[in-house]
Amino acid sequence: MEIALAPETLARWQFGITTVYHFLFVPLTISLAALVAGLQAAWVRTNKEKYLRATKFWGKLFLINIAMGVVTGILQEFQFGMNWSDYSRFVGDVFGAPLAFEALIAFFFESTFIGLWIFGWDKLPQKIHLACIWMVAIGTVLSAYFILAANSWMQHPVGYRINEEAGRAELTDFWQVLTQNTAVAQFFHTITAAFLTGAAFMVGIAAYHLLRRKHIPVMRTSLRLGLVTMVVSGLLVVVSGDRLAKIMYDQQPMKMAAAEALWDTEGPAPFSLFAIGDVDRGHNRVAIEVPGVLSFLAHDNFSDPVPGINDTNEAMQEKYGPGDYRPNIPVAYWSFRWMIGFGMVSFGLGVIGLWLTRKRRWLSERLRTGEDEVPRLALTKDGELGPKLTTWYWRAAVLTLGFPLIASSWGWIFTEMGRQPWVVYGVLPTSSAVSPSVSQGEVITSMTVYTLLYAALAVIEVKLLVKYVKAGPPELTEADLNPPTRIGGDDTDPDRPMAFSY
């Protein structure tokens, strides 16, 4: 009971709750910004109304999401100062640099150009207005890179030295922090997962409307864009995940051994399909494994040994001194599997959907449909799914629209908990990072307040999203179809509608 309510444990719970909740908005913000920019570019290029309606519909959902993301992200800053003052003091010189660049460059792009995009519909020429949303999309990606570079430094600290007198880490090579292999691999894995998330969100909502035969031209376009993005990003998630795992086997062998419940070093090492372990005795009571596959995933061959939990723990005790360097093994093992499982279900649904809705040349003439009709789900060139299976595909797309979000959340839980007991791997233990002057009661109070606040925000977020999703794409006005050709707008009518009047 004492350990469960210790300030360190409570501070970690608070960090986990607030960070996972904040990250629900991040992948959607990154991916929807780029997808909306792509739809608007298609409208500027083709002048087709369905692209403009899709831009306004998905743009509205993007704005709701980014607003919530900014609000929840601000609390992260307070949390570092309140619960993790020793951590902030130790890493401030290193951690501050990427965070400063994130604020000065990336957030500047996002906040400036999103304002121009929101209020510039009837005041900016088409191409300048389009450039604004692309700048927002670039800003979200830059923001992600600087944040992930900072987190990667905690996973694999480089470009620093320890000032023994001051008792803190000091930055010596900022470029090395930005370009180390952990940061690059983690960035590509996170960004591709973000696009998988946005694509599943888009496909699920498009399926909801197509199931009800509403807003068909816009939702056909959205479905196609979402399915292509799901398949491409899903493939890239697998490739980038494999690269990141290989780096982790080299830099954090304990984390990956825990992810596979591999207790003793083995070569060839098996890949675990299912395991029930005995943590105290350091072995598995039940294990279903595929021989050699873990060696291949770690080393690109089927025979090289992979270090196990027990051997790695002994090696770390020799290097860092007495102690237990194992993370929570069941959490690491199952979070790794939930991450892969939920992500791959969405990828599989995207592959099936892309095949079932493939283009006309792959279908017999009787199965082809026009832009104002719901696409037939064709199983073969001459055969389509029955009505029940067709309905169930649309329902499956709706029910799984949040699966990549769940996968991302489990992925971060695995990433952060898998490196314990370190907050900065091999340098700063978590127990030395908490604020020494914050009491148990203060942490409980702040965690309760944050949790209740986030619960209220979640209700608001869901209600807003459901309201605007059900309403569907807006009807276009004459002003929408005839945008200005010069900055400031062409219409001098003082009663013209506001720019942000979706």
Side-chain angles (χ1 to χ4, degrees):
M1 179 63 76
E2 289 181 0
I3 294 175
L5 293 178
E8 177 195 336
T9 307
L10 294 170
R12 288 179 62 189
W13 269 107
Q14 186 177 108
F15 181 82
I17 292 169
T18 55
T19 302
V20 167
Y21 185 78
H22 170 63
F23 197 75
L24 294 178
F25 305 102
V26 174
L28 274 177
T29 297
I30 294 170
S31 54
L32 284 182
L35 292 172
V36 169
L39 287 167
Q40 188 168 344
W43 169 58
V44 171
R45 187 168 180 271
T46 66
N47 212 30
K48 292 184 177 179
E49 291 185 19
K50 64 177 183 179
Y51 290 124
L52 179 56
R53 293 184 69 200
T55 299
K56 288 180 170 276
F57 176 68
W58 295 109
K60 190 186 303 176
L61 301 183
F62 161 68
L63 291 175
I64 294 169
N65 193 72
I66 195 172
M68 288 293 181
V70 170
V71 170
T72 55
I74 290 172
L75 287 184
Q76 303 300 310
E77 310 289 336
F78 289 110
Q79 190 178 207
F80 281 131
M82 185 178 68
N83 290 340
W84 304 97
S85 62
D86 276 3
Y87 162 80
S88 302
R89 187 163 36 249
F90 184 80
V91 306
D93 189 67
V94 179
F95 215 68
L99 293 186
F101 271 81
E102 194 269 340
L104 292 173
I105 299 176
F107 193 66
F108 169 79
F109 270 67
E110 289 178 76
S111 56
T112 301
F113 287 100
I114 202 168
L116 291 172
W117 188 71
I118 291 171
F119 297 104
W121 280 98
D122 67 349
K123 294 180 176 60
L124 296 174
Q126 271 187 336
K127 291 183 179 177
I128 293 178
H129 190 249
L130 172 63
C132 291
I133 189 64
W134 276 113
M135 296 304 283
V136 174
I138 292 170
T140 60
V141 173
L142 282 175
S143 178
Y145 192 89
F146 287 121
I147 296 291
L148 291 171
N151 180 268
S152 297
W153 186 85
M154 296 162 67
Q155 308 286 342
H156 182 235
V158 295
Y160 76 104
R161 71 179 183 89
I162 298 293
N163 184 329
E164 299 291 350
E165 289 186 8
R168 65 173 191 166
E170 293 182 346
L171 186 65
T172 58
D173 190 340
F174 183 48
W175 185 247
Q176 191 180 3
V177 172
L178 290 182
T179 59
Q180 66 152 316
N181 57 359
T182 310
V184 175
Q186 189 158 284
F187 169 75
F188 280 107
H189 190 54
T190 307
I191 288 297
T192 51
F195 276 90
L196 181 64
T197 301
F201 183 73
M202 183 172 276
V203 168
I205 291 172
Y208 168 80
H209 286 289
L210 290 173
L211 188 61
R212 286 156 181 75
R213 297 182 172 276
K214 292 183 177 178
H215 316 293
I216 294 172
V218 174
M219 292 305 160
R220 274 183 66 117
T221 298
S222 302
L223 179 78
R224 194 73 187 170
L225 175 62
L227 288 173
V228 171
T229 307
M230 275 175 86
V231 173
V232 173
S233 59
L235 284 172
L236 293 175
V237 164
V238 173
V239 173
S240 59
D242 177 68
R243 175 60 186 153
L244 183 59
K246 285 180 168 57
I247 291 173
M248 289 297 105
Y249 273 111
D250 180 48
Q251 296 174 353
Q252 296 185 27
M254 177 63 84
K255 177 190 287 186
M256 301 311 295
E260 288 300 322
L262 182 71
W263 293 95
D264 299 306
T265 301
E266 293 186 46
F271 179 80
S272 175
L273 295 177
F274 178 81
I276 298 177
D278 186 331
V279 176
D280 293 331
R281 296 184 178 181
H283 69 87
N284 291 326
R285 287 181 293 187
V286 178
I288 302 174
E289 300 169 332
V290 182
V293 173
L294 186 58
S295 288
F296 180 78
L297 293 175
H299 303 298
D300 286 335
N301 66 64
F302 289 97
S303 58
D304 278 5
V306 176
I309 297 167
N310 296 327
D311 301 302
T312 305
N313 196 39
E314 289 179 9
M316 295 182 80
Q317 286 171 343
E318 290 180 8
K319 184 175 182 179
Y320 299 111
D324 186 356
Y325 295 91
R326 299 175 301 175
N328 186 312
I329 306 295
V331 170
Y333 181 83
W334 288 110
S335 59
F336 189 63
R337 271 144 193 79
W338 294 133
M339 174 188 70
I340 295 173
F342 280 103
M344 288 303 97
V345 166
S346 289
F347 172 60
L349 196 78
V351 172
I352 294 170
L354 200 58
W355 174 253
L356 293 175
T357 59
R358 58 194 179 274
K359 290 219 169 186
R360 294 183 175 186
R361 64 178 178 275
W362 296 95
L363 300 175
S364 62
E365 194 168 343
R366 72 177 185 83
L367 295 179
R368 298 173 190 172
T369 53
E371 287 195 349
D372 58 348
E373 297 175 276
V374 176
R376 290 187 171 179
L377 301 186
L379 193 59
T380 65
K381 183 175 181 179
D382 297 307
E384 61 180 314
L385 292 184
K388 285 188 178 178
L389 285 176
T390 297
T391 300
W392 272 108
Y393 180 79
W394 296 128
R395 287 177 178 170
V398 175
L399 292 173
T400 59
L401 66 85
F403 272 26
L405 266 182
I406 299 172
S408 295
S409 298
W410 281 116
W412 276 112
I413 289 170
F414 167 69
T415 300
E416 299 304 290
M417 291 192 69
R419 71 159 181 262
Q420 294 301 322
W422 304 104
V423 65
V424 179
Y425 194 81
V427 178
L428 183 68
T430 305
S431 57
S432 301
V434 293
S435 301
S437 58
V438 176
S439 67
Q440 182 187 66
E442 289 169 332
V443 183
I444 291 175
T445 302
S446 60
M447 183 164 66
T448 304
V449 171
Y450 285 166
T451 304
L452 292 175
L453 177 62
Y454 278 8
L457 288 175
V459 172
I460 295 170
E461 161 87 2
V462 170
K463 281 192 172 183
L464 282 174
L465 287 178
V466 169
K467 175 184 175 182
Y468 287 109
V469 165
K470 283 186 174 178
E475 296 299 327
L476 301 179
T477 65
E478 194 62 29
D480 293 324
L481 298 172
N482 297 286
T485 56
R486 60 183 177 83
I487 294 176
D490 302 318
D491 191 352
T492 56
D493 180 3
D495 296 325
R496 68 185 185 279
M498 292 178 62
F500 184 48
S501 56
Y502 284 115

